Amino acid sequence: MRGSLPRILAVLLKEFTQLRRDRITYAMILVMPVMQLLIFGYAINMDPRHLPAAVLSHDTSTLANSVVSALERTGYVDVRYLPRSDEELDQLIRRGQVLLGITIPPDFTRRVLKGERAQILAEADASDPQAAAGALAAVSVLPTEALRNERVGLGMPRSTAPPFEVVVHRRYNPESRSPFNIVPGLLGIILSMTLVMMTAMAVTRERERGTMETLLSTPATPVEIMVGKLTPYVVVGLIQTVVVLVMARGLFSVPMARTAAGWLALACGIVLFIVGNLSLGYLISTVARSQLQAMQMSMFYMLPSIFLSGFAFPFLGLPPWARVLGEIIPVTHFLRIVRGALLKEQVLADMGNDLLALGLFVLAVAGAALARSRTTLD
Amino acid sequence: MNERAIDVRGLNKSFGDRHVVRDVSIAVDTGRITGFLGPNGSGKTTTLRLLCGLLTPDSGEGTVLGLDFRARGDAIKRQTGYMTQKFSLYEDMTLEENLAFVARVHGLEQRRERVEDTLHRLGLFDRRRQLAGALSGGWKQRLALAAATLHEPRLLLLDEPTAGVDPKARREFWDEIHTLAAGGLTVLVSTHYMDEAERCHDIGYILYGRLIARGTADSIIRDSGLVTFLGEGPGIDRAAHLLAQADGVLSASAFGAAVHVSGVKREALEAALAPWRKEPFRWSEVPPSLEDVFIQLMGRERDERYTS
């Protein structure tokens, strides 16, 4: 053992020397954990508050208003919209603008005063059961808490049964089955992870092996090289998508799109998302000096894709600054598209913003990758 | 039809504060094989890369294949074959697949026939299904030559093509180069081997980024003004060691059992040799070899650097 100590030291010193040479790797080893800790530490909240809600009130009495203010007082939801019709409310929920929709019927006040069974309807978007649970927690306390003071004022006895009840609808996923949310989400994560990493290696590998010199001495232009390199991976991405969807249906009974329009919307989202990921990988590969760096950068991209996209935690439960970061990440938009198409019967019109965001991402990232591609070795 | 395949003047290239190519002007006639010599890091590779458009020069002008080499880089690329110093084809593809790729990327017609012809011509046909990475050095070099000439370029740039290749393979490689040149192909080849330099029609010697000698091997030797003596006898190698330090001697180095002692001034060299003109040593004047000349050129350049 004594004899091997100098040799261990030799190898150890050599590793440190090489680590020091590789500045970027070194920087990433130090900077990555700090950034991740700061971002995710502050962004992730297991008990999301201020979830967006909409109230459709057919009853304009003070009693109904008290219910709404009691709802807001819980801190779990913010009433952001006051739709005028059932259709408007329905669209807000379907497009994911609110997690909770409250409908107060016209005879609410009358029934409460008469002591009849008054009801309000709470519809939660249960495509993400975790987020829906947060919103419904706020609703569950309403019957006992909402009208406490009013009842005293109206001379109603304090101890009787709650003056109204809440009818809860868990829409899009009535049984709150986690796979309905996780499995479509996994499609986004799997596509990102494999496609970004695979293409990130693509150019870096050519440079590392020296084949880039041959490629550049041919008449092929940067656009030709990029399109030629990425197209096979589009096929890989499509095969992955089919495999995941078949398994989602077969093993987890995840609902599929029910109309041709739904499938079309989904297909648009998938193609844009695949191309976006490939472009990002390509951009990484033009920046990274080695395959190791390309790998690190891909990993660096994956963590926010999991934590800030709405995959692991409800997107609407993130603090506003984290949602801004999340909006930049393609997975965020893809999750809305895939969950929308599979669970919420969304069509193209419902996902315009997310498709647009993905399209812009593709243009910006592919443009940057091309701008960084050279026809020379300078 | 332009007689000169390459005619560039005032080529300069820097990487950061390293001035790698300095005011290189070079003209190469069509169908000639020009050897590019010079020590490691003297700017040979950079010059070749500048000529084939893989690097952008800081300054310089002229024509390659009759085209303005700064503005028409793409057109020049199409008619130029470039063989890199390090093997740079795809090791995880077979010979055939590599050549098919090169043929496609150059947009060649009758791809299959041309790939097959090239495989036959370079004796690679039997190995066409092997992975390129599994080839030995000599075969890799042959494959690289096949890839660089598949599109029938008019100009072939070879960057130390025979490094690490055995003598037989080297000889065959040079025979192939001469066959191609006889067909009108212009070849620019960098090398460290003196015997290869002598196989070229003419030579350019580059040092510290400057082209300091240009012409046929004979003319370079003649113009050097170098006087060389060959010394033989037991213990001559020890004598050479001492002679190298003497005034008037530029170089004294062993060639097998003999030594070459060279200098530019005959009297000074004779004076230095005088103490050694005794038994058991025998001396005779010989024409300087290309290597003697290059060693002299290196020394001269270094002197200039010190005095300036």
Side-chain angles (χ1 to χ4, degrees), chain B residues 14-44:
Chain B
S14 298
F15 296 109
D17 53 1
R18 283 190 310 126
H19 200 164
V20 182
V21 171
R22 301 163 189 252
D23 297 317
V24 167
S25 298
I26 188 164
V28 178
D29 290 339
T30 301
R32 300 284 281 186
I33 301 174
T34 299
F36 236 10
L37 287 105
N40 293 324
S42 55
K44 298 190 297 288

Side-chain angles (χ1 to χ4, degrees), chain B residues 116-137:
Chain B
E116 255 178 42
D117 287 351
T118 308
L119 285 169
H120 277 300
R121 185 160 52 80
L122 290 166
L124 297 167
F125 192 76
D126 293 337
R127 295 170 182 263
R128 67 189 185 282
R129 300 268 154 77
Q130 281 187 19
L131 292 183
L135 294 176
S136 64

Side-chain angles (χ1 to χ4, degrees), chain A residues 110-249:
Chain A
R110 193 173 54 84
R111 279 175 174 265
V112 170
L113 291 176
K114 281 191 169 179
E116 291 171 11
R117 283 178 16 140
Q119 287 183 331
I120 64 173
L121 174 66
E123 295 170 280
D125 175 355
S127 62
D128 183 347
Q130 203 187 333
L136 290 175
V139 173
S140 63
V141 300
L142 281 182
T144 49
E145 298 295 315
L147 301 176
R148 205 186 269 178
N149 296 332
E150 284 79 356
R151 285 164 76 192
V152 175
L154 290 164
M156 293 166 81
R158 202 176 270 228
S159 57
T160 51
F164 65 94
E165 59 183 30
V166 180
V167 178
V168 172
H169 279 186
R170 288 186 172 81
R171 293 185 56 181
Y172 313 122
N173 184 3
E175 294 161 59
S176 288
R177 295 175 62 173
S178 290
F180 285 16
N181 180 55
I182 294 297
V183 173
L186 274 173
L187 174 61
I189 299 299
I190 289 169
L191 284 176
S192 276
M193 197 124 82
T194 50
L195 296 180
V196 171
M197 215 172 272
M198 273 196 284
T199 37
M201 303 287 184
V203 176
T204 326
R205 184 168 48 229
E206 299 247 10
R207 211 175 295 129
E208 250 180 35
R209 293 191 186 170
T211 50
M212 201 62 192
E213 205 176 342
T214 296
L215 202 54
L216 290 180
S217 69
T218 70
T221 65
V223 186
E224 289 162 358
I225 294 177
M226 180 163 154
V227 173
K229 269 187 167 297
L230 296 193
T231 310
Y233 295 107
V234 174
V235 177
V236 172
L238 289 175
I239 293 173
Q240 285 183 319
T241 306
V242 170
V243 170
V244 171
L245 287 181
V246 166
M247 287 176 69
R249 182 86 200 118

Side-chain angles (χ1 to χ4, degrees), chain B residues 171-191:
Chain B
R171 174 171 294 234
E172 286 164 2
F173 184 82
W174 275 94
D175 289 345
E176 179 65 25
I177 299 293
H178 272 276
T179 312
L180 290 166
L185 181 71
T186 309
V187 181
L188 203 56
V189 50
S190 75
T191 178

Side-chain angles (χ1 to χ4, degrees), chain A residues 206 208-211 213-220 375-378, chain B residues 13 49 53-56 77 82 84 86 88-90 92 101 105-106:
Chain A
E206 299 247 10
E208 250 180 35
R209 293 191 186 170
T211 50
E213 205 176 342
T214 296
L215 202 54
L216 290 180
S217 69
T218 70
T375 47
T376 60
L377 290 168
D378 300 83
Chain B
K13 179 71 183 177
R49 285 178 174 172
L54 270 178
L55 288 173
T56 322
K77 261 189 194 178
Y82 173 54
T84 53
K86 188 175 162 251
S88 61
L89 289 162
Y90 297 93
D92 48 358
F101 165 70
V105 87
H106 279 283

Side-chain angles (χ1 to χ4, degrees), chain A residues 193-332:
Chain A
M193 197 124 82
T194 50
L195 296 180
V196 171
M197 215 172 272
M198 273 196 284
T199 37
M201 303 287 184
V203 176
T204 326
R205 184 168 48 229
E206 299 247 10
R207 211 175 295 129
E208 250 180 35
R209 293 191 186 170
T211 50
M212 201 62 192
E213 205 176 342
T214 296
L215 202 54
L216 290 180
S217 69
T218 70
T221 65
V223 186
E224 289 162 358
I225 294 177
M226 180 163 154
V227 173
K229 269 187 167 297
L230 296 193
T231 310
Y233 295 107
V234 174
V235 177
V236 172
L238 289 175
I239 293 173
Q240 285 183 319
T241 306
V242 170
V243 170
V244 171
L245 287 181
V246 166
M247 287 176 69
R249 182 86 200 118
L251 297 180
F252 301 101
S253 313
V254 175
M256 294 286 119
R258 264 149 282 180
T259 58
W263 281 112
L264 174 69
L266 182 62
C268 289
I270 286 170
V271 169
L272 276 178
F273 182 64
I274 288 175
V275 175
N277 278 315
L278 294 178
S279 307
L280 180 68
Y282 201 81
L283 179 63
I284 289 177
S285 74
T286 61
V287 178
R289 296 272 175 84
S290 64
Q291 295 195 59
L292 176 67
Q293 278 180 17
M295 190 83 128
Q296 277 186 319
M297 290 182 196
S298 311
M299 286 307 294
F300 189 61
Y301 163 74
M302 276 321 292
L303 285 174
S305 293
I306 291 169
F307 292 129
L308 302 185
S309 65
F311 172 72
F313 306 100
F315 184 77
L316 293 170
L318 298 174
W321 60 267
R323 287 207 299 272
V324 171
L325 281 181
E327 293 284 355
I328 303 170
I329 300 169
V331 180
T332 308

Side-chain angles (χ1 to χ4, degrees), chain A residues 77-124:
Chain A
V77 292
D78 288 346
V79 176
R80 303 247 175 94
Y81 301 89
L82 294 169
R84 299 286 177 82
S85 64
D86 291 335
E87 291 73 36
E88 246 180 275
L89 177 65
D90 185 63
Q91 177 162 319
L92 284 170
I93 298 175
R94 188 154 46 86
R95 294 195 174 172
Q97 283 161 291
V98 297
L99 275 171
L100 181 69
I102 300 285
T103 307
I104 302 175
D107 58 354
F108 177 70
T109 307
R110 193 173 54 84
R111 279 175 174 265
V112 170
L113 291 176
K114 281 191 169 179
E116 291 171 11
R117 283 178 16 140
Q119 287 183 331
I120 64 173
L121 174 66
E123 295 170 280

